Amino acid sequence: MCGTCPDPQPLYRSTMPRKKLVIIDGSSLIYRAFFALPPLTTADGTPTNAVYGFTTMLLKILEDEHPDVILLALEGGRTFRHTEFADYKAQRPRTPDDLAVQTPLARAMAEAFRVPILQHTGYEADDVIGTITCRGKDAGFEVLVVTGDLDALQLVNEQVRVMVNRRGITDTLIYDSAAVQERFGLPPSLLPDFKALKGDSSDNIPGIPGIGDKTATSLLCEYGSLESLLEHAAEVKAARVRTNLLERRQEAELYKRLATIVTDLPFEADFEKWKYTGPEVAEVQELCRLLEFRTLGRRIQELYGKRETSRPAVVEAQLQWRRLEREAEVEEWVGKARRAAGVAVRTWQVGGEGRTGTLRGIGLSAAGETVVLYGEEPAGEGLLAAATDPWILPPTLAGLLSDPSVVLLGHDLKRDHHALAGREVRPGQLGFDTQVAAYVLNPGRSAYRLEDLASEYLGHALTGEMGPERLAREVAAIAALWEPMSGRLKTDELEQVYYGLELPLIPILADMETLGIAVDCGELLRVSRSLGERIHVLEEQAFSLVGKQFNMGSPKQLQEILFTDLQLPTGKKTKTGYSTDSDVLQDLAVVHPLPALILEWRELSKLKSTYADALQNLVDPRDGRVHTHLNQTVAATGRLSSSDPNLQNIPVRTEVGREIRSAFVAPPGLKLLSADYSQIELRLMAHICKDPELVRAFQEDRDVHAATAARVFGVPLDQVTADQRRSAKTVNFAVLYGQSDFGLSRQLRIGRAEARQLIDAYFGEFPGVLDYIQSTKEQARNVGYVTTLPPYRRRRYIPGIHAGNHNERQAAEREAVNAPVQGTASDIIKAAMIRVQRAIRQEGLRSRMILQVHDELLFEIVPEEETAMIRLVTREMESAFELDVPLKVEVKAGCNWRDVEPAA
């Protein structure tokens, strides 16, 4: 410090405690948070680390400072500084995509906290801060500026302090006048002069050559200001510094203007209007739910929850619930429940789930009252207990749950449907399923647990082991989730897909799971033995090629055989050596026969273990059928998935896959009917892009791959060769799935340049397809998601669409292009299932829908109903969705799934 610098003079003195004004440099803090925290993303891939850090800092400021007024300043775009000095901040790198996408989210969080946001076109956030600081001082406030850099230190005086982040997001240092003087050896008011002389690399201000920190400080202490120094530049002793000051006077004056914060922007400062009254808790919690800030959401609820008067009572720690132990109590509660808008139900099962579990308890919540019926184990006490199994529900309760006029609410209602159906109670109206609603709102999540939804929407943790009290809390949470989740569906315009498709599908899937599909275990055993023999032959052939035995399932041994013994070209490197995945083996199969044997061995081994052997253990001995789980909330595309066993991964285009299908049979006296949409995704692409020739090909029922080949290769349709058709078919699907020229070249075994020519030729002939691809990518970039076709408009959030990594971003773009097509195909098959099931019921047929696999529906039919079922299924499936091109369904019938043949 030097003794000649003037002491800062306070502009305001008072003996009364001052009110506190906090001004946050939002742009600076968001930027700092992004680089201070490791990458964070939601389940759908949205980056969130900057928003999380910003919210954490905002919360800490509110807790520590208790401001009377708190404001957020943001940048106002290109400023006068850029006009005066073209190189101003020019060295700064482009804002990372993962940061850019978070700025609107951070702004939304500030708005939810009810923090006013200020920005002024043509000026930086610092200028807004400077102006508000001066207005705040004049209004008698003690001012605290919160920022991530040191530019604002020039504003410090007796009334103004600056809080600067040093490391991370919570390690801060507060500067007053003394701290500024100690660090720079200058008062705050001279910091713009200091930067003008020595320069500022962060803003790309060059400064005066030959002047560094020490020289700048010494000169300003001696002369008092930049202006005074320039007036006396000829007196400076150091020759180089003297010359540069004399020659660069105008530059020095410019640099000071660039470094000086504007303090007189023309806008009103209404501190009374800006008085801080706290956050809007519901909005903050909703953002925390969307961004998956579970811990932060709970903390906010703890701090501010009492401010929200509309919060449902269920989220309070003391939940009022009771156990019903007499039928008279059940009748009384049922009477109240019948007058309620909806009845929440939650079943508790042991020893399995759904159709295989044993009912242990039922939780119910309606009309603001939560009750539990709980059966002891073994059966002895309680209303669910009985001398026989299954337990019998009280008649009045069974009547309530099976009444179609009663709206039932649940979480995974299909599970509850199975549990109740096992007690001779078929649920009536399934009115709202929180698990399915959460899936529709965000299909990219990895799980949809009730605990997470209660935390996100209600700020309430469901803890403790399962028992009557936990059951009560779960069903009460379901009741409380109904309103906010249905509101979200409406806000996001997802009511049509939820209420029109997903909800009506639940009882249909439950019935299909209950029915299952008959399996011929003798046929499975025959297929298993046949596969075993073929696997053994492949092993012997492989051993003969290399002259020794080895484990064909061991990647380590394969690496040694392929790359050391046979010296084949190496491909991708992994942590354990060179890759032996299918892509590598397919490439190597061109130069040596062993990789092809390994690929075939892998396929046969997987089919044998996964299906031919495993299915025999999954057949229910009571009915000889396999009961797969049809999962409604797994696939982000909107498709149903199948598990335990997965019947959707049985290959249909290979002979060995068809052998597996031969074991799925119709019981004696019945037949199987298969109805499969033909080329549904290509038809959807034709409808979307509106290309006249593509549409005409489908309208006239022509071979669309041959028609594409004729256009791409420029030959008459009747002269298209088999190879040209094959290439065109590959290109059709490559474009549909956003495949690159590299991927197409690998698939067709052609050069990358030739693959690029094929794709370019395709887009040249079908420009509407290219327009669709480009517009869909742009939509994903702008809003973060794409949608299926109306009327459903199912959303698919696109993870990584703004990713900095090129490969990740390209994968996201491919996903964006395919999602509307594949998602609409899933909407169509679901709509068809609902229509077909309704028609079967209306026509009083005994035939039943038993399975859905991709674009195929499988039925178990009564032979005398075959003609009626063919007509019904074809009609309902082909009219399930209105397109510019016709939907076409191929219907086949037979005694087993492999041998179904075109129906007459």
Side-chain angles (χ1 to χ4, degrees):
M1 294 178 61
C2 65
T4 59
C5 293
D7 291 331
Q9 296 299 311
L11 301 180
Y12 180 92
R13 293 186 185 275
S14 174
T15 57
M16 297 294 291
R18 296 193 182 102
K19 296 171 291 184
K20 183 178 289 186
L21 166 63
V22 172
I23 314 170
I24 299 174
D25 183 348
S27 304
S28 173
L29 261 62
I30 294 166
Y31 185 87
R32 176 170 287 273
F34 178 77
F35 288 101
L37 295 180
L40 299 173
T41 63
T42 61
D44 66 11
T46 301
T48 60
N49 61 331
V51 193
Y52 184 88
F54 170 76
T55 307
T56 301
M57 289 187 277
L58 175 59
L59 198 58
K60 187 176 188 300
I61 292 165
L62 291 171
E63 287 185 80
D64 294 348
E65 301 298 330
H66 303 288
D68 296 282
V69 175
I70 182 168
L71 305 169
L72 183 74
L74 294 177
E75 302 289 355
R78 187 176 177 83
T79 73
F80 71 92
R81 296 178 178 88
H82 297 90
T83 303
E84 287 198 37
F85 184 56
D87 291 335
Y88 182 69
K89 295 186 177 180
Q91 88 293 356
R92 293 192 176 183
R94 176 178 172 271
T95 302
D97 290 337
D98 283 0
L99 172 57
V101 75
Q102 294 186 69
T103 302
L105 298 174
R107 182 178 184 128
M109 185 65 78
E111 291 172 345
F113 268 91
R114 294 300 182 259
V115 175
I117 299 171
L118 303 178
Q119 58 188 144
H120 200 285
T121 303
Y123 290 88
E124 295 182 51
D126 279 346
D127 300 321
V128 175
I129 291 169
T131 301
I132 293 298
T133 296
C134 286
R135 305 282 175 82
K137 287 190 302 182
D138 293 343
F141 281 92
E142 174 191 335
V143 182
L144 177 67
V145 176
V146 183
T147 182
D149 58 49
L150 301 177
D151 291 344
L153 293 183
Q154 61 187 271
L155 301 172
V156 170
N157 61 34
E158 186 182 70
Q159 273 181 255
V160 181
R161 297 174 302 147
V162 172
M163 177 189 291
V164 180
N165 286 88
R166 293 190 296 183
R167 293 181 298 275
I169 59 174
T170 58
D171 183 6
T172 60
L173 181 65
I174 293 181
Y175 284 88
D176 57 12
S177 295
V180 174
Q181 186 83 37
E182 181 178 354
R183 172 161 182 170
F184 295 96
L186 296 167
S189 60
L190 287 182
L191 291 185
D193 307 62
F194 178 74
K195 288 178 65 174
L197 289 172
K198 72 100 178 180
D200 182 1
S201 59
S202 67
D203 289 341
N204 207 34
I205 297 174
I208 304 303
I211 298 180
D213 289 17
K214 291 183 179 180
T215 302
T217 301
S218 175
L219 289 171
L220 290 173
C221 283
E222 182 176 354
Y223 292 98
S225 69
L226 176 66
E227 290 76 12
S228 177
L229 170 62
L230 293 176
E231 286 297 324
H232 299 88
E235 303 170 13
V236 174
K237 295 177 182 178
R240 184 187 176 197
V241 173
R242 181 175 64 248
T243 300
N244 286 336
L245 284 171
L246 290 170
E247 293 178 355
R248 298 175 182 264
R249 178 187 180 101
Q250 290 184 337
E251 293 173 40
E253 292 171 341
L254 169 63
Y255 298 157
K256 181 174 179 178
R257 288 198 302 275
L258 298 177
T260 301
I261 292 175
V262 177
T263 59
D264 58 354
L265 293 179
F267 58 75
E268 294 295 324
D270 191 342
F271 294 110
E272 186 62 34
K273 176 184 175 182
W274 292 337
K275 185 177 180 180
Y276 190 64
T277 58
E280 182 61 40
V281 179
E283 290 185 26
V284 176
Q285 289 287 50
E286 176 67 3
L287 276 171
C288 286
R289 185 194 67 78
L290 287 171
L291 299 172
E292 299 172 13
F293 297 163
R294 297 182 179 89
T295 302
L296 196 57
R298 287 194 292 270
R299 183 180 168 201
I300 292 166
Q301 185 67 36
E302 291 169 1
L303 290 170
Y304 297 103
K306 291 181 180 180
R307 295 177 182 269
E308 186 188 18
T309 57
S310 62
R311 189 161 51 98
V314 67
V315 303
E316 301 293 343
Q318 298 299 321
L319 172 67
Q320 299 298 316
W321 66 279
R322 62 191 175 103
R323 180 174 168 179
L324 303 183
E325 298 182 339
R326 293 184 296 274
E327 288 205 25
E329 294 174 337
V330 175
E331 292 175 4
E332 177 193 8
W333 185 87
V334 167
K336 296 178 183 177
R338 284 191 174 278
R339 297 190 292 273
V343 177
V345 60
R346 181 72 165 164
T347 58
W348 174 23
Q349 298 168 272
V350 294
E353 286 288 326
R355 57 181 295 277
T356 62
T358 299
L359 186 65
R360 184 77 176 273
I362 299 178
L364 301 153
S365 188
E369 187 175 7
T370 300
V371 297
V372 169
L373 285 82
Y374 176 64
E376 303 292 345
E377 187 69 43
E381 300 291 334
L383 283 168
L384 292 183
T388 59
D389 187 55
W391 289 335
I392 306 300
L393 298 185
T396 52
L397 178 58
L400 175 77
L401 297 177
S402 59
D403 189 335
S405 68
V406 175
V407 177
L408 297 182
L409 322 172
H411 182 84
D412 190 2
L413 277 170
K414 179 156 64 71
R415 165 187 170 276
D416 298 319
H417 186 287
H418 283 307
L420 294 172
R423 275 76 203 168
E424 306 301 324
V425 176
R426 181 178 178 83
Q429 182 187 165
L430 303 184
F432 198 85
D433 189 317
T434 57
Q435 182 187 65
V436 176
Y439 167 72
V440 170
L441 287 166
N442 186 353
R445 291 177 61 153
S446 59
Y448 303 90
R449 302 189 312 160
L450 181 58
E451 295 93 324
D452 295 335
L453 300 183
S455 172
E456 293 165 15
Y457 282 90
L458 308 173
H460 176 52
L462 293 175
T463 58
E465 294 185 4
M466 181 53 80
E469 181 169 353
R470 170 64 185 263
L471 184 59
R473 292 189 177 282
E474 288 193 356
V475 75
I478 291 168
L481 285 166
W482 184 18
E483 183 178 354
M485 295 194 76
S486 59
R488 271 292 314 287
L489 290 167
K490 183 175 183 179
T491 299
D492 289 1
E493 299 180 339
L494 292 168
E495 290 181 300
Q496 186 67 28
V497 69
Y498 179 73
Y499 293 107
L501 286 183
E502 298 297 350
L503 203 61
L505 199 63
I506 295 172
I508 296 174
L509 297 179
D511 287 343
M512 292 168 68
E513 290 179 355
T514 299
L515 286 169
I517 181 170
V519 173
D520 184 341
C521 289
E523 177 67 7
L524 276 180
L525 183 60
R526 183 197 68 77
V527 172
S528 178
R529 287 172 176 167
S530 173
L531 288 173
E533 292 170 358
R534 291 159 71 176
I535 289 169
H536 178 71
V537 169
L538 290 172
E539 290 172 343
E540 291 300 317
Q541 290 175 343
F543 301 159
S544 175
L545 282 173
V546 298
K548 63 179 180 181
Q549 292 189 356
F550 62 96
N551 183 354
M552 293 179 70
S554 167
K556 185 175 181 180
Q557 291 188 36
L558 281 182
Q559 290 168 6
E560 182 180 345
I561 294 291
L562 294 172
F563 307 124
T564 302
D565 295 355
L566 298 179
Q567 291 291 299
L568 297 181
T570 55
K572 296 178 288 186
K573 188 74 178 288
T574 70
K575 292 181 180 178
T576 58
Y578 288 104
S579 173
T580 59
D581 66 15
S582 58
D583 287 341
V584 171
L585 293 180
Q586 285 173 3
D587 289 340
L588 295 178
V590 178
V591 297
H592 196 279
L594 180 61
L597 290 178
I598 296 170
L599 285 170
E600 186 178 358
W601 180 90
R602 284 180 180 176
E603 180 189 9
L604 298 185
S605 297
K606 181 179 180 180
L607 288 173
K608 184 177 186 299
S609 62
T610 305
Y611 294 108
D613 296 340
L615 278 174
Q616 298 178 55
N617 299 321
L618 293 173
V619 174
D620 191 326
R622 294 172 295 182
D623 60 13
R625 301 169 79 93
V626 165
H627 300 266
T628 185
H629 295 279
L630 296 169
N631 305 305
Q632 198 173 358
T633 62
V634 171
T637 59
R639 292 278 193 183
L640 295 173
S641 69
S642 168
S643 60
D644 301 322
N646 182 353
L647 300 183
Q648 296 193 337
N649 281 357
I650 303 174
V652 66
R653 292 182 176 84
T654 63
E655 180 56 36
V656 67
R658 289 190 287 270
E659 280 192 59
I660 298 292
R661 284 193 167 202
S662 70
F664 294 90
V665 299
L670 300 177
K671 295 179 71 175
L672 294 183
L673 185 77
S674 166
D676 195 356
Y677 278 117
S678 170
Q679 299 178 324
I680 188 169
E681 293 187 1
L682 289 176
R683 292 171 188 269
L684 283 167
M685 180 59 79
H687 170 82
I688 291 170
C689 75
K690 309 296 185 187
D691 180 84
E693 288 301 316
L694 206 54
V695 170
R696 188 176 298 114
F698 282 115
Q699 288 177 337
E700 297 176 358
D701 200 21
R702 301 198 312 239
D703 181 337
V704 69
H705 301 308
T708 300
R711 295 279 298 277
V712 170
F713 293 105
V715 298
L717 183 62
D718 58 358
Q719 294 180 25
V720 170
T721 66
D723 283 345
Q724 288 173 330
R725 184 189 182 279
R726 178 178 61 85
S727 295
K729 180 178 180 179
T730 305
V731 173
N732 271 329
F733 287 105
V735 170
L736 186 66
Y737 292 105
Q739 197 172 45
S740 66
D741 50 12
F742 175 73
L744 182 62
S745 69
R746 289 174 62 91
Q747 196 167 353
L748 288 177
R749 301 288 177 185
I750 60 177
R752 191 168 178 176
E754 186 180 351
R756 182 73 259 166
Q757 288 176 351
L758 276 176
I759 292 175
D760 289 343
Y762 182 93
F763 287 143
E765 292 298 319
F766 304 108
V769 177
L770 183 59
D771 290 343
Y772 160 75
I773 291 172
Q774 292 174 338
S775 64
T776 303
K777 288 179 183 179
E778 188 62 26
Q779 178 192 346
R781 294 187 194 103
N782 289 338
V783 299
Y785 62 85
V786 293
T787 65
T788 61
L789 295 179
Y792 300 113
R793 294 194 180 279
R794 181 189 302 275
R795 284 191 186 185
R796 174 77 182 275
Y797 291 92
I798 306 300
I801 194 66
H802 293 289
N805 180 278
H806 176 73
N807 291 335
E808 184 181 349
R809 189 170 62 252
Q810 275 201 325
E813 290 174 350
R814 288 194 296 270
E815 188 177 89
V817 170
N818 178 244
V821 177
Q822 194 174 58
T824 301
S826 76
D827 292 345
I828 291 173
I829 193 72
K830 287 180 175 179
M833 293 172 72
I834 295 167
R835 292 171 62 96
V836 167
Q837 187 74 358
R838 181 171 59 236
I840 289 175
R841 186 172 60 251
Q842 289 174 344
E843 296 189 18
L845 301 178
R846 292 172 291 159
S847 300
R848 306 178 296 185
M849 183 162 53
I850 60 173
L851 189 62
Q852 187 267 339
V853 175
H854 304 305
D855 302 320
E856 177 185 11
L857 296 179
L858 192 64
F859 301 86
E860 195 174 82
I861 65 170
V862 179
E864 52 266 32
E865 293 179 352
E866 181 174 347
T867 301
M869 280 295 294
I870 292 171
R871 183 179 63 251
L872 179 153
V873 170
T874 303
R875 179 189 72 230
E876 298 301 331
M877 290 182 69
E878 290 186 346
S879 61
F881 209 89
E882 187 174 344
L883 299 174
D884 293 343
V885 301
L887 285 172
K888 184 178 180 181
V889 175
E890 297 176 353
V891 183
K892 301 177 181 179
C895 293
N896 65 60
W897 200 6
R898 179 192 65 184
D899 295 336
V900 289
E901 298 177 350

